[in-house]
Amino acid sequence: SQQGEEDPQALSIQEGENATMNCSYKTSINNLQWYRQNSGRGLVHLILIRSNEREKHSGRLRVTLDTSKKSSSLLITASRAADTASYFCATAFTGGGNKLTFGTGTQLKVEL
Amino acid sequence: DAGVTQSPTHLIKTRGQHVTLRCSPISGHKSVSWYQQVLGQGPQFIFQYYEKEERGRGNFPDRFSARQFPNYSSELNVNALLLGDSALYLCASSEAGTGITGANVLTFGAGSRLTVL
């Protein structure tokens, strides 16, 4: 079963706008990761945030983590058509090895 | 450097048959994980292998099995295929079996799309 939910399920914006995706999870985590998937192919790692971190940046990406609310958000600024993809959050647990538990994903469409 | 490679990319089987999927990790990566992604859902963890030993198993029936070879490549086997096994099967590799702060970053292959008729 999925660890959590992502919201919204689908998001459509214009190029240049910002896109925000939210992820909620159910249990304590060690780290949370965001991945991107184009057209049902392999996933590409975007960013990892540790449980003791609250915010992290990477280029046009900004991730926040609120462990008290068991939630995270991914912000993509100045979106481009090439950002069109599905975005997944994935959580890692103590003693879980490399096991990641993925959310349900947000489908982002960036229109020209 | 080559990324994670998976074969075959697509395959069609009928119910009751057996399938073997193969994965070659990035050179130097010793951990391989397998995920199943059903259309419209996020990937679900099936197995992790590290140094040829099983390090984790997801909530999948015994029809699913895997192994890792001395060169760190891996096979996923599924017996007695069911229609519900139709999915994209993803392999991912990482250097170590676990990270200092939980799971490592995983590098995924492009997947093997299995259709069961």
Side-chain angles (χ1 to χ4, degrees):
Chain A
S1 61
Q2 307 292 146
Q3 155 71 321
E5 300 292 324
E6 291 181 60
D7 168 52
Q9 289 188 343
L11 179 61
S12 183
I13 60 174
Q14 298 294 312
E15 203 171 44
E17 293 181 335
N18 295 342
T20 299
M21 289 159 264
N22 303 296
C23 165
S24 62
Y25 56 91
K26 297 174 183 174
T27 60
S28 297
I29 61 171
N30 277 355
N31 72 52
L32 185 146
Q33 305 179 29
W34 285 87
Y35 287 81
R36 164 194 167 129
Q37 185 177 39
N38 286 81
S39 302
R41 303 302 289 174
L43 285 83
V44 175
H45 177 260
L46 297 175
I47 198 165
L48 179 153
I49 186 165
R50 298 186 173 93
S51 59
N52 61 353
E53 297 177 312
R54 291 298 167 256
E55 187 171 314
K56 205 161 183 181
H57 296 255
S58 177
R60 294 184 297 112
L61 306 180
R62 171 178 169 256
V63 168
T64 61
L65 178 64
D66 187 336
T67 53
S68 67
K69 294 181 180 179
K70 293 186 170 56
S71 66
S72 174
S73 67
L74 170 67
L75 168 67
I76 303 174
T77 60
S79 63
R80 306 165 181 167
D83 294 328
T84 295
S86 292
Y87 292 82
F88 295 90
C89 67
T91 49
F93 308 92
T94 303
N98 281 338
K99 176 183 176 181
L100 290 177
T101 303
F102 284 83
T104 50
T106 293
Q107 278 189 300
L108 173 64
K109 183 176 182 180
V110 182
E111 300 184 84
L112 294 170
Chain B
D1 283 341
V4 177
T5 57
Q6 291 188 243
S7 63
T9 54
H10 294 85
L11 68 166
I12 299 173
K13 295 284 187 178
T14 57
R15 281 176 295 175
Q17 284 190 313
H18 163 91
V19 68
T20 297
L21 308 177
R22 296 178 175 83
C23 172
S24 293
I26 289 174
S27 178
H29 283 193
K30 299 180 179 179
S31 175
V32 170
S33 301
W34 287 94
Y35 287 79
Q36 180 197 64
Q37 186 177 23
V38 173
L39 192 63
Q41 297 183 19
Q44 288 202 43
F45 174 77
I46 310 176
F47 287 109
Q48 182 200 350
Y49 277 78
Y50 177 66
E51 289 284 15
K52 302 177 285 294
E53 293 186 0
E54 183 182 302
R55 290 298 186 93
R57 172 184 285 254
N59 188 23
F60 281 81
D62 291 343
R63 298 185 296 108
F64 288 76
S65 64
R67 54 179 175 167
Q68 187 176 35
F69 300 100
N71 66 354
Y72 302 110
S73 67
S74 177
E75 279 183 359
L76 175 69
N77 294 283
V78 186
N79 293 323
L81 286 167
L82 303 174
L83 295 179
D85 295 330
S86 295
L88 181 68
Y89 288 85
L90 296 161
C91 173
S93 75
S94 64
E95 285 189 41
T98 188
I100 295 174
T101 59
N104 286 299
V105 169
L106 301 183
T107 302
F108 283 83
S112 293
R113 186 166 296 283
L114 170 66
T115 301
V116 182
L117 301 177

